[in-house]
Every structure is written in structure tokens, then in C-alpha cells.
Amino acid sequence: MSPPKSIQASPHILSLLNDLHSKSQSQERTLSMYTFWAIKLFTAFFSISSWTKSDDDYMRDKFIALEPEKCEFIYLLARSTGARNIVEAGTSFGVSTIYLALAAGQNVASLPRSEPGNSKPWAKVIATEKEASKAEKARQHWRIAGDDVEPWISLLEGDLLETLPRELEGAGEIDLLLLDIWIPLALPTLQLVKPRLRRGALVITDMTGIAKTAYADLLGYLHDPANGFRTMTTPFSGGLEVSVYLQDLE
Ligand SMILES: C[S@@+](CC[C@H](N)C(=O)[O-])C[C@H]1O[C@@H](n2cnc3c(N)ncnc32)[C@H](O)[C@@H]1O
């Protein structure tokens, strides 16, 4: 496979990403995964969708990584906006986090050199994963990725509705929020992070096209001008919501 033209990364990282995406995609293309998602979408259509403990059990060994082209697009958005303070809701085995950390680290490197005595510019990708075994795997992947990735990530292990509020207290303004989490958690997470979003911050949500019904609460919130977002479902596979926080639209 030829290396993507979008990503600035060492051959070692590109090869790691290639390997992780291949593993994720081979899990996705099984009958059992198709059936799982078909049932979820069907039940959501009748407004009876919920996420159960047995769904968590089923997903514990699954990557469910964002597709490479979505990750590359998000990386480019992060580079173009100079994002250095990023929240990732839903980390799993840490694949999308690698792209976010690459972008955040490169955004730091492209800042003008700071004067001696001034504090060093920084970046932080706040990753969140509630499954301990997944968090451990993610850490291993970032270690393998090395210094262009690992130093920029701070992983919160546990339920993000409990771990994030504390972390956000000390965080500056958030430039980018990636919502790649179980659907019922998307709106509560956005509402948690929203007071910290900077004007012009990006909120990116996966699968809002195919799972429009299940995302009715989130989409309703994003579409209400009182909440300050402009938003579009971009035509990636399943739909990828790209929303910009503009604060006051009226
Ligand atoms: C779709 S996966 C994330 C995939 C990842 N963004 C990637 O592209 O590689 C969603 C993850 O969110 C995690 N998760 C679900 N509920 C959570 C919660 N309340 N707090 C933290 N993580 C949670 C799941 O365990 C799962 O690994």
C-alpha cells in the first residue's frame, strides 16, 4: 500500500497504523459484527436502543477504529486549525489517538520558537477509555509509535463522565473534540466539554449519517442555533459530523 499523502509521519508509524487498521478492518468484516450493528440500528429506529453490559463484553476485544480516510481527514483538520488541546471521547486501542497526537505534536513544532525564559509550548490529547484491557493495549501501541506520539497523550482510564470533569477543570480551551463513543454518551460528553470549547473549535462525530435516528438528541442539539454550532454531515462512510462552535449565532 502506498503511504497516504495526507499524513506527515515516519515510515515506522505509517507501518504501525497500516497494521492496526488492517486488524480493525478484519474484525469489522465478520458476519458477527455486521449482525451486531444491524440489530443496534434496527432497534434505534424504533427508539429502543440502549447500550448493555453484554454489548460492552462483546466489544472488549474489538478495535472499532475509525477508518483510515476519516483519521486522515481529522488529522488534516487538526493541522489546519493548529489544534493542541484535544479531547478524544472513546479511545479503544488508541488508533485515532495516534493521528491526533501526531497533529498536536506537529502543531507545537511549527510554532515560532519561544523566547528563553518563556514557558515551553505544549500540546495534550486527552484520551478516554473505560475498559482497562483496552487502555493497556492503547498504551502499548503509543509506546511502539514512539516520541512523535506518546508524549502528547494523557489517558484517562474509567468512565469519562467521571474522569473528564476533573481533567477539564485544569485544562485550557479545547480546540477539538472527537466523539467516537457509544451513541447515548455523545450528547452528555459534548455538554460536558462545551463550556471549555474555544470559539471556532471543532467537534467531530462518527456515524451520524447511518445512525441518524440514534443520534437524534445530539443532532437536535447541534442544529439548534441557541447552542452555537454550525454543522454538516460529511459524506464519509456512515457519515462523519463536522461541527464548528461559533458561540453566538443570533
Ligand atoms: C468506537 S470505540 C473508539 C475507537 C477509537 N476512537 C479509534 O478510532 O481507534 C469507542 C470506545 O469508547 C469506549 N467507551 C465506551 N463508554 C465509555 C465511557 N463511558 N468512558 C470511556 N470510554 C468509553 C469503549 O470501550 C470503546 O473502546
Side-chain angles (χ1 to χ4, degrees):
M1 219 171 94
S2 60
K5 305 281 179 286
S6 48
I7 306 292
Q8 179 190 339
S10 66
H12 157 73
I13 292 177
L14 291 175
S15 144
L16 172 68
L17 288 172
N18 201 17
D19 177 46
L20 297 178
H21 280 300
S22 305
K23 286 181 176 145
S24 181
Q25 282 165 351
S26 49
Q27 286 180 335
E28 293 283 336
R29 290 179 190 138
T30 57
L31 182 61
S32 127
M33 275 289 251
Y34 283 125
T35 312
F36 179 88
W37 288 124
I39 292 170
K40 281 277 148 219
L41 288 177
F42 183 76
T43 50
F45 190 76
F46 294 101
S47 303
I48 48 172
S49 172
S50 63
W51 200 268
T52 64
K53 162 122 187 16
S54 72
D55 295 333
D56 276 338
D57 293 340
Y58 178 73
M59 283 298 182
R60 196 156 294 120
D61 64 346
K62 309 289 187 300
F63 275 78
I64 4 163
L66 285 174
E67 297 90 325
E69 55 279 12
K70 289 180 185 166
C71 289
E72 289 169 37
F73 181 59
I74 293 167
Y75 164 91
L76 284 175
L77 289 176
R79 288 300 326 261
S80 73
T81 53
R84 290 189 288 131
N85 207 9
I86 297 176
V87 175
E88 178 183 64
T91 289
S92 190
F93 294 150
V95 181
S96 50
T97 334
I98 294 177
Y99 291 83
L100 295 172
L102 272 176
Q106 290 164 7
N107 286 336
V108 167
S110 47
L111 289 172
R113 272 185 174 277
S114 63
E115 298 295 318
N118 285 356
S119 55
K120 255 180 94 180
W122 56 274
K124 190 177 196 178
V125 178
I126 302 170
T128 55
E129 179 50 57
K130 73 168 181 176
E131 299 290 346
S133 57
K134 291 189 131 188
E136 185 45 39
K137 262 265 180 274
R139 283 196 193 93
Q140 280 173 24
H141 294 148
W142 302 333
R143 210 166 302 135
I144 296 169
D147 282 350
D148 291 343
V149 168
E150 195 183 21
W152 308 112
I153 304 170
S154 166
L155 174 63
L156 307 181
E157 203 177 310
D159 180 353
L160 60 77
L161 295 179
E162 288 165 21
T163 59
L164 253 184
R166 244 171 299 133
E167 182 76 13
L168 289 174
E169 269 172 35
E173 290 193 311
I174 303 297
D175 303 309
L176 190 156
L177 167 65
L178 174 59
L179 290 170
D180 190 22
I181 192 95
W182 307 154
I183 294 173
L185 280 168
L187 180 58
T189 307
L190 174 60
Q191 287 172 324
L192 193 66
V193 179
K194 191 182 165 208
R196 299 281 166 179
L197 291 179
R198 75 158 161 85
R199 189 185 170 84
L202 286 162
V203 177
I204 300 166
T205 316
D206 193 29
M207 290 295 171
T208 51
I210 196 166
K212 200 172 163 180
T213 313
Y215 272 122
D217 60 349
L218 177 87
L219 291 172
Y221 187 86
L222 290 170
H223 293 166
D224 180 347
N227 295 318
F229 290 93
R230 288 288 175 203
T231 191
M232 174 183 184
T233 309
T234 60
F236 284 94
S237 151
L240 184 75
E241 198 72 19
V242 177
S243 316
V244 182
Y245 182 49
L246 295 169
Q247 290 173 346
D248 25 65
L249 296 178
E250 273 118 356

